[in-house]
Amino acid sequence: MVDQEVDVPGPPPIFVVLPDGQEVRGRLHARRQQRDGWRYQIGIQLWRDRGNSSAVAAEHRAWLSPAQVRPIPGVSYRDVPTRRPSSADDLSHKGRPAWTLQYLPHRPGHPGATLLHVIGCTPSDQSLDREEALAALSRPRAAACTECDAARSLASGQPSVS
């Protein structure tokens, strides 16, 4: 069984991978698809110097690549503002990677699982073409995401662009 997703108020939490490899929790404010892949606008709380020997909490925002963010299992990202290219940009032509995998770790009482997503549904640094996506979905404990309707897009041969 796959973990159940939980809605949280405000932008959903996400793990942010810092340059030194540490992971901290941040918030995912937006995502946008570009020609070279997806970018994710995150916000993390940091201290900002007030100039009078004191500091105040402030949010730092940045656009990051899929390698710099990691979804939190069980968190829903369906309401994150998402900007995709117009159909004129035609990013979904045949052979172009269009699906991603999310690995849900094993924990007591829940075996690990793999979720297949339409690219952009969940941050990932791995993209798959149709044949790779079909192979991944045929593995044990693999399922298609119902939020992005990955199964329908895989059956049609192209991801849905909304």
Side-chain angles (χ1 to χ4, degrees):
M1 182 168 156
V2 177
D3 294 338
Q4 188 158 14
E5 291 189 344
V6 177
D7 286 317
V8 293
I14 193 163
F15 288 123
V16 177
V17 181
L18 299 178
D20 66 358
Q22 293 181 71
E23 288 188 3
V24 297
R25 272 187 177 226
R27 294 285 184 168
L28 180 59
H29 290 276
R31 54 190 169 188
R32 67 180 179 212
Q33 188 177 22
Q34 300 176 184
R35 285 206 179 280
D36 64 342
W38 283 87
R39 296 294 180 266
Y40 303 92
Q41 186 185 43
I42 59 90
I44 56 175
Q45 291 291 314
L46 298 172
W47 294 107
R48 185 180 72 203
D49 187 4
R50 293 178 67 179
N52 60 357
S53 298
S54 66
V56 62
E59 183 178 65
H60 171 77
R61 289 194 184 185
W63 285 96
L64 302 179
S65 73
Q68 298 165 313
V69 295
R70 197 168 55 80
I72 297 175
V75 173
S76 173
Y77 296 100
R78 73 174 164 263
D79 295 329
V80 173
T82 302
R83 192 176 82 209
R84 299 175 191 267
S86 69
S87 59
D89 291 336
D90 192 28
L91 283 180
S92 62
H93 64 277
K94 187 177 179 182
R96 177 111 183 173
W99 293 272
T100 62
L101 292 177
Q102 176 187 9
Y103 299 100
L104 302 175
H106 172 80
R107 56 190 179 115
H110 296 281
T114 303
L115 282 178
L116 178 74
H117 298 275
V118 170
I119 197 163
C121 178
T122 296
S124 175
D125 59 355
Q126 179 183 14
S127 59
L128 309 170
D129 62 24
R130 186 169 188 271
E131 291 74 29
E132 293 167 325
L134 286 168
L137 199 53
S138 69
R139 294 185 192 124
R141 291 188 305 281
C145 175
T146 57
E147 285 184 28
C148 64
D149 206 4
R152 184 179 59 79
S153 71
L154 193 56
S156 72
Q158 294 294 322
S160 57
V161 177
S162 52

